[in-house]
Amino acid sequence: MSERITVGQLYTGPVTSNLLNRAKQSETTITPERPFAQVLEDNLLKLSNHAAKRLEQRGIELKSEQMQQIGTALDKAAAKGAKESLILMQDMAFIVNVKNRTVVTAMDSESMKDNVFTQIDSAVIIS
């Protein structure tokens, strides 16, 4: 018997160094897991400085439940391939950068009157 058997592997032909190295290469190419902090940050909804100022100027206070609703709407927009989305919720509107999960600007019902929304590719209505 000139064929070599290795524990856990069975080769029916002559063993070459290439076959033995292939198993080692697959072990080193495993993608490391992302740190928990990075995963958490990627899933959080962020406010740009501009949006924070608009919320303050217009007296809009967002509760955690509303932030979750915006996050869910954002997930739906991302699933459809949206990049910049208009999210309409009750008497408020938000322009959101989907990729960065960032609210770019926020408007109340008074600010929305006679307003044209530009540079968006989608709209999500939260009822």
Side-chain angles (χ1 to χ4, degrees):
M1 287 198 108
S2 63
E3 297 178 17
R4 183 175 175 193
I5 298 176
T6 306
V7 175
Q9 297 178 359
L10 178 62
Y11 299 103
T12 58
V15 176
T16 63
S17 62
N18 189 24
L19 286 174
L20 294 175
N21 289 336
R22 190 179 318 167
K24 292 178 186 175
Q25 288 173 349
S26 67
E27 292 173 2
T28 59
T29 58
I30 295 173
T31 308
E33 292 185 27
R34 295 185 327 181
F36 177 74
Q38 181 67 37
V39 173
L40 182 63
E41 184 176 320
D42 290 346
N43 290 317
L44 287 179
L45 184 63
K46 298 170 240 153
L47 294 174
S48 69
N49 289 335
H50 177 77
K53 288 178 187 175
R54 293 296 174 256
L55 287 169
E56 186 179 328
Q57 287 174 349
R58 295 171 177 155
I60 301 172
E61 290 184 26
L62 292 175
K63 299 175 185 167
S64 61
E65 179 183 309
Q66 292 171 318
M67 292 291 277
Q68 284 180 331
Q69 289 176 327
I70 294 170
T72 302
L74 190 56
D75 293 337
K76 289 178 183 179
K80 296 289 185 174
K83 294 178 180 140
E84 295 284 334
S85 188
L86 168 67
I87 297 179
L88 296 170
M89 181 173 61
Q90 298 163 349
D91 58 346
M92 297 174 283
F94 305 92
I95 303 291
V96 181
N97 180 297
V98 177
K99 180 181 175 186
N100 298 331
R101 298 186 64 84
T102 304
V103 176
V104 177
T105 192
M107 291 162 270
D108 58 0
S109 59
E110 191 62 35
S111 303
M112 284 191 291
K113 289 183 182 174
D114 298 324
N115 204 347
V116 175
F117 299 100
T118 59
Q119 298 180 347
I120 61 168
D121 61 9
S122 60
V124 181
I125 301 169
I126 300 172
S127 54

